[in-house]
Amino acid sequence: MRRSATRLVFALLAVAAVLLAARAIAGQWRAFRDSGAHLSPRWSLIALSSVLVLVAYAVLVETWRRTVRAWDAELPWGEAARIWFISNLGRYLPGKVWQIGAMGVMAQEQGVSVVAATGSALVINLVNLLAGVGVVLVTGAEFFEARNAALAFGALLLAGIVLAPRLVPFIGRLAGKVIGRPLDVPTLPDRAVWLAAVGCVVAWLLYGVAFQCFVAGILGQAPGRTSSYIAAFTGSYLAGYIALFAPGGIGVREGSLIFALGRFGLAQAGAAGVISLTSRLWLTVLEVLPGLVFLAVDALRGRRPTSSTPS
């Protein structure tokens, strides 16, 4: 009974996410059409950028699998990809928490323990955010007014990720003393955090290179350093991600990207506006399409919950 209710809730959430994503795509297309921009895209470069984004997704899926494995649990790659992409639709729902919750619950349905499912989902999302901030600080350091401070903060952030398995329990004990009662802080396996950090950094770098290829495909050229494209894309993506009120970061990511492209000297205002609109459309399709494919396959197969019981 409980599983049936859970499946119904996720089905409704999936439908809502798909509808919101479809509305976002339609709105982005209208905005691009109304902008009056006339482009002659180089589809080979746009295809290459799309492949690089999908490779980054594959890196993140494998990173999450290995993070789950650090808790002595196991997920087949196909199931991990299915969970990753379907739960990814949750970012188009307000609040951003649906994605993490969906990952944890769907992993439990595959026999992964509650600790491994929720812990790995939290670790991969938190480390991905911190790794993104570090990537922006390092790749965009020369454009910050306090370059040395940015590099130092990036190094400090990296050290924090490396030491996180030790720092989190320590901070939990310290907080427990402050509030006068013990806090039950879950143990973070060293391997889980470090693997997540490496995989997330690689994924952010791939995203940035893909973005540069996309810009070249849209405008015919992509002047500037690759590191600047990595910083601009990562920074704008993170801005949209942490804006909890904006489903999928819509609006926030575009504004941040236009600012970053100008700050790094990669595009003038008009070109930056075209890039922000077309890249949003491009990324939305790449984010949503895999999840829709997995949902369609599930529907065609008449997928049933697994018989294993989450521990």
Side-chain angles (χ1 to χ4, degrees):
M1 186 68 179
R2 181 182 175 185
R3 281 191 174 182
S4 297
T6 300
R7 291 183 68 199
L8 178 60
V9 169
F10 275 107
L12 293 174
L13 290 175
V15 170
V18 169
L19 291 175
L20 287 171
R23 189 176 70 174
I25 292 174
Q28 292 148 24
W29 178 253
R30 284 194 298 271
F32 172 69
R33 185 185 59 196
D34 295 342
S35 69
H38 297 285
L39 304 176
S40 298
R42 297 173 60 184
W43 293 109
S44 58
L45 286 174
I46 294 175
L48 174 60
S49 68
S50 301
V51 169
L52 289 174
V53 170
L54 294 176
V55 171
Y57 289 163
V59 168
L60 289 174
V61 171
E62 180 61 22
T63 300
W64 180 50
R65 281 187 71 239
R66 292 181 179 272
T67 304
V68 170
R69 192 179 296 168
W71 269 278
D72 297 321
E74 191 68 47
L75 269 176
W77 203 93
E79 284 299 333
R82 170 182 166 270
I83 293 170
W84 180 275
F85 286 116
I86 292 178
S87 65
N88 201 41
L89 296 173
R91 70 178 56 195
Y92 287 92
L93 296 170
K96 303 291 196 304
V97 297
W98 301 106
Q99 180 185 10
I100 298 175
M103 284 180 70
V105 172
M106 293 175 73
Q108 289 177 58
E109 288 186 346
Q110 297 302 316
V112 177
S113 70
V114 174
V115 172
T118 56
S120 61
L122 287 170
V123 165
I124 196 69
N125 279 277
L126 177 59
V127 172
N128 194 37
L129 180 64
L130 295 177
V133 174
V135 166
V136 172
L137 290 173
V138 173
T139 57
E142 64 179 301
F143 294 97
F144 292 108
E145 293 182 3
R147 182 188 179 199
N148 291 335
L151 287 172
F153 187 75
L156 184 63
L157 194 62
L158 177 61
I161 292 175
V162 172
L163 297 174
R166 302 288 181 269
L167 289 175
V168 170
F170 171 76
I171 293 173
R173 290 194 297 269
L174 186 63
K177 291 180 179 179
V178 171
I179 65 176
R181 63 183 180 84
L183 291 178
D184 185 16
V185 179
T187 301
L188 300 179
D190 294 14
R191 203 155 51 94
V193 177
W194 298 340
L195 283 171
V198 172
C200 290
V201 168
V202 170
W204 283 122
L205 297 178
L206 285 170
Y207 282 143
V209 175
F211 179 61
Q212 184 177 21
C213 291
F214 178 80
V215 172
I218 290 295
L219 300 182
Q221 59 178 345
R225 298 180 181 179
T226 299
S227 59
S228 298
Y229 286 93
I230 294 171
F233 177 87
T234 305
S236 62
Y237 197 101
L238 290 175
Y241 185 82
I242 63 178
L244 299 181
F245 59 87
I250 294 171
V252 177
R253 190 196 299 178
E254 287 73 33
S256 301
L257 184 58
I258 291 173
F259 171 80
L261 289 171
R263 182 74 177 88
F264 295 134
L266 301 177
Q268 298 299 320
V274 171
I275 292 170
S276 70
L277 286 172
T278 54
S279 65
R280 161 58 80 171
L281 181 62
W282 165 65
L283 272 182
T284 302
V285 171
L286 290 177
E287 286 174 346
V288 171
L289 188 59
L292 295 182
V293 169
F294 277 107
L295 285 174
V297 170
D298 283 358
L300 290 173
R301 289 179 177 176
R303 191 180 186 93
R304 298 286 187 271
T306 60
S307 59
S308 55
T309 303
S311 55

